[in-house]
């Protein structure tokens, strides 16, 4: 089996026409088609990137050459496409998107029949087909068909509305600002919110693959325009999506932008009130706020490795209905067990309507943590031994080695020390109830790591 890789943590990504070329994408299409098998039906769509239509044609060539039928959607968010796979009982799908990466990138995510991205084992199978030229090209009589699949975005909106109380939300006349990142987040969410009786102001809502408004990654520091717009128009809430609208970052009526842990914790608290003892799934990189919220609500917390596919698959395996990541991904399995920006927006509005509290008030109820980050350089070949050595030093503490080494201290502070999957560095994420303590944690563990590294 080949050790060469196509897939990273979230699908295939690369610089357009440099790393990711049309001829490569045809071959990826054929490898995916071979993996699924002749006669299978796959949905296909893309985000706003300028290279989307070009790569869609290449994927269609490869898939139909291997005998798969393509149900073409065109512009759609990743969660809308994932929903279409389930709704139409298709065998899988392909999304052409580089998610939160800059405009010069594009990528390919492969979706399995359950609507979740393919597992790492399945990706290895596709890589094996691709690199070892095991592509199956069918005879001319068996070439797949390309059909249009209209109405996907409407079906997705209808499905989301079934999980909230539209009358209650409408009765509050919320005003919401949507920052669509000039991509597919602008296709469904503003209309959905209007149908839920909200007044909607949009920014960066025209489809433009050069992403003129802001970069596709919704980070608090790049959402200044959203924050100012919310304050200027007197809105109740703002929401910003990434390039394929699975991630959503929110700001309250005062223009304060929050990382995803805080809004996820709002959803958890309310969910546990209505579903006592429920299981909540989150990666070890999440804030202790998530642990506190689940414990306070008497839920059961399940930690996973970092990565959205792992969260989705753990939810499915554990029969858990709610999951989330700090980068703005809430997974609500009664709708679908994947990150879904529009679903998350509707859930938050439903909670605001239900509790009659503003987002500011809901977040002010939470314990506050200060976060500090650090990193040290570490050659790839020393990562494993460094991680093992640091674990030996701290194993008497409350510690988890699900992904890197995470230590929880009795005063509520915590640190995650984790090797980067893409760079020769170790990252440190500390949090504590005061900022001084958080920086001291990063400092002391940076020193510890350097000391160990110098002996290796
Ligand atoms: Mg994304």
């Amino acid at each position: 089996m080949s050790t060469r890789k196509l897939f990273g943590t979230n699908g295939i990504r690369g610089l357009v026409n440099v790393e990711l070329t049309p001829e490569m994408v045809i071959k990826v299409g054929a490898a995916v088609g071979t993996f699924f098998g002749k006669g299978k039906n796959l949905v296909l769509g893309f985000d706003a990137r300028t290279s989307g239509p070009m790569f869609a044609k290449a994927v269609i060539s490869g898939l139909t050459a291997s005998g798969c039928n393509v149900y073409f959607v065109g512009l759609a968010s990743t969660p809308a496409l994932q929903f279409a796979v389930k709704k139409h009982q298709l065998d899988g799908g392909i999304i052409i998107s580089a998610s939160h990466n800059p405009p010069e990138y594009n990528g390919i995510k492969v979706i399995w029949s359950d609507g979740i991205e393919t597992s790492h084992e399945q990706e290895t199978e596709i890589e094996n087909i691709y690199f070892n030229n095991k592509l199956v090209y069918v005879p001319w009589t068996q070439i797949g068909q390309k059909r249009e699949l209209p109405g996907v975005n409407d079906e997705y909106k209808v499905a989301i509305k079934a999980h909230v109380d539209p009358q209650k939300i409408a009765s509050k006349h919320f005003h919401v600002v949507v920052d669509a990142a000039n991509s597919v987040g602008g296709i469904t969410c503003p209309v959905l919110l209007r149908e839920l009786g909200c007044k909607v102001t949009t920014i960066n809502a025209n489809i433009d693959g050069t992403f003129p408004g802001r970069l596709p990654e919704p980070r608090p520091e790049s959402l200044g325009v959203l924050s100012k717009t919310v304050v200027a128009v007197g809105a109740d809430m703002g929401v910003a999506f990434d390039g394929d609208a699975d991630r959503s970052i929110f700001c309250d009526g005062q223009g304060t932008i929050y990382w995803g842990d805080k809004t996820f914790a709002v959803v958890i608290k309310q969910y546990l009130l209505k579903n006592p003892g429920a299981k909540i799934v989150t990666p070890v990189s999440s804030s202790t706020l998530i642990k506190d919220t689940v414990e306070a609500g008497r839920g059961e917390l399940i930690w996973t490795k970092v990565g959205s596919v792992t969260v989705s698959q753990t939810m499915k395996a554990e029969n858990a209905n709610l999951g989330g990541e700090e980068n703005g991904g809430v997974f609500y399995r009664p709708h679908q067990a994947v990150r879904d920006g529009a679903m998350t927006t509707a859930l938050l509005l439903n909670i605001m309507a239900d509790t009659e509290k503003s987002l500011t008030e809901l977040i002010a109820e939470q314990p506050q943590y200060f976060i500090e980050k650090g990193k040290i350089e570490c050659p790839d070949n020393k990562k494993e031994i460094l991680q093992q050595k640091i674990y030996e030093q701290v194993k008497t503490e409350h510690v988890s080695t699900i992904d890197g080494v995470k230590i929880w201290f009795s005063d509520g502070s915590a640190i995650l020390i984790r090797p980067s999957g893409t760079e020769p560095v170790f990252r440190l994420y500390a949090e504590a109830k005061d900022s001084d303590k958080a920086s001291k944690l990063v400092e002391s563990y940076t020193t510890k790591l350097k000391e160990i590294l110098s002996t290796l």
Side-chain angles (χ1 to χ4, degrees):
M1 187 154 300
S2 175
T3 53
R4 283 179 289 174
K5 301 286 286 174
L6 276 174
F7 291 89
T9 26
N10 272 111
I12 301 168
R13 297 272 168 93
L15 277 167
V16 172
N17 285 352
V18 179
E19 295 162 339
L20 199 64
T21 59
E23 55 268 48
M24 178 184 169
V25 173
I26 293 177
K27 195 174 167 187
V28 169
V32 172
T34 303
F35 165 75
F36 276 94
K38 185 175 71 181
K40 293 290 163 56
N41 299 307
L42 306 189
V43 68
L44 172 69
F46 48 74
D47 71 8
R49 287 163 200 275
T50 57
S51 53
M54 172 181 87
F55 286 136
K57 292 189 178 96
V59 167
I60 292 166
S61 288
L63 282 177
T64 52
S66 61
C68 286
N69 300 311
V70 178
Y71 286 82
F72 185 63
V73 168
L75 277 168
S77 68
T78 291
L81 258 161
Q82 290 173 304
F83 183 75
V85 172
K86 280 203 315 172
K87 165 94 185 168
H88 293 275
Q89 298 183 327
L90 300 173
D91 299 298
I94 287 185
I95 298 157
I96 299 168
S97 167
S99 190
H100 61 275
N101 286 151
E104 60 272 27
Y105 284 83
N106 211 337
I108 291 169
K109 292 188 197 185
V110 183
I111 308 301
W112 188 241
S113 56
D114 56 6
I116 300 173
E117 278 174 64
T118 40
S119 67
H120 296 306
E121 292 73 24
Q122 291 171 322
E123 288 172 352
T124 306
E125 279 184 56
I126 297 169
E127 284 166 342
N128 184 32
I129 295 166
Y130 180 94
F131 287 114
N132 299 319
N133 281 317
K134 294 182 178 171
L135 306 172
V136 174
Y137 287 119
V138 296
W140 66 274
T141 51
Q142 294 171 20
I143 290 169
Q145 300 285 311
K146 179 211 162 197
R147 304 182 181 109
E148 305 291 323
L149 185 63
V152 161
N153 289 314
D154 284 333
E155 290 163 356
Y156 169 71
K157 272 187 308 173
V158 169
I160 288 175
K161 281 191 279 188
H163 296 287
V164 294
D165 185 340
Q167 280 79 32
K168 205 174 216 174
I169 295 174
S171 73
K172 301 294 176 192
H173 307 289
F174 291 125
H175 185 173
V176 183
V177 180
V178 178
D179 176 347
N182 296 105
S183 192
V184 290
I187 294 177
T188 41
C189 195
V191 187
L192 167 73
L193 298 183
R194 285 187 186 111
E195 288 174 5
L196 287 171
C198 299
K199 180 176 177 186
V200 181
T201 301
T202 55
I203 56 175
N204 304 323
N206 56 316
I207 296 285
D208 187 335
T210 66
F211 296 93
R214 63 166 170 90
L215 287 173
E217 180 163 24
R219 301 182 62 82
E221 58 270 26
S222 61
L223 301 178
V225 178
L226 174 68
S227 164
K228 283 184 192 141
T229 308
V230 166
V231 174
V233 302
D236 298 285
M237 187 174 90
V239 56
F241 299 113
D242 72 332
D244 62 337
D246 54 350
R247 279 166 55 181
S248 47
I249 290 287
F250 295 86
C251 101
D252 66 12
Q254 298 173 5
T256 307
I257 294 160
Y258 299 106
W259 265 121
D261 314 78
K262 295 201 180 236
T263 39
F264 178 37
V266 168
V267 178
I268 293 173
K269 183 175 177 182
Q270 203 63 17
Y271 185 77
L272 287 175
L273 279 174
K274 296 187 173 175
N275 302 275
K279 292 175 178 174
I280 310 293
V281 179
T282 203
V284 281
S285 52
S286 287
S287 166
T288 306
L289 168 63
I290 302 304
K291 182 168 167 273
D292 292 351
T293 309
V294 174
E295 280 169 6
R298 296 171 187 275
E300 183 188 333
L301 184 59
I302 300 171
W303 295 108
T304 70
K305 278 181 188 293
V306 177
S308 63
V309 184
T310 311
V311 173
S312 291
Q313 277 162 354
T314 306
M315 289 174 72
K316 203 178 153 187
E318 295 279 350
N319 202 19
N321 277 339
L322 187 61
E325 293 180 311
E326 47 79 43
N327 61 14
V330 172
F331 307 57
Y332 187 65
R333 190 163 151 259
H335 172 54
Q336 51 180 354
V338 296
R339 293 190 291 210
D340 191 322
M343 183 72 244
T344 309
T345 310
L347 284 174
L348 277 179
L349 290 170
N350 203 49
I351 292 168
M352 286 161 64
D354 227 8
T355 58
E356 305 201 316
K357 286 178 183 167
S358 66
L359 188 56
T360 315
E361 290 168 319
L362 289 163
I363 288 178
E365 293 171 351
Q366 298 172 349
Q368 231 210 320
Y369 285 93
F370 293 86
I371 294 173
E372 283 294 329
K373 296 180 184 181
K375 67 174 176 182
I376 69 152
E377 287 182 19
C378 171
D380 286 335
N381 61 1
K382 289 187 177 165
K383 281 177 172 170
E384 215 177 299
I385 179 85
L386 178 59
Q387 183 171 320
Q388 206 179 321
K389 295 270 182 196
I390 193 82
Y391 172 68
E392 279 161 21
Q393 286 197 5
V394 299
K395 64 185 177 193
T396 51
E397 313 274 354
H398 180 194
V399 53
S400 162
T401 52
I402 289 173
D403 199 344
V405 177
K406 175 127 184 185
I407 312 152
W408 290 277
F409 303 97
S410 53
D411 64 353
S413 58
I415 188 163
L416 173 66
I417 303 156
R418 186 172 169 263
S420 162
T422 50
E423 292 171 72
V425 297
F426 255 79
R427 296 186 191 282
L428 299 93
Y429 310 83
E431 57 178 339
K433 289 188 171 158
D434 69 90
S435 63
D436 199 42
K437 169 86 202 201
S439 353
K440 280 192 177 134
L441 266 176
V442 170
E443 240 170 74
S444 84
Y445 277 86
T446 303
T447 311
K448 270 186 202 179
L449 285 166
K450 281 184 177 162
E451 272 171 20
I452 300 171
L453 202 55
S454 70
T455 66
L456 298 178

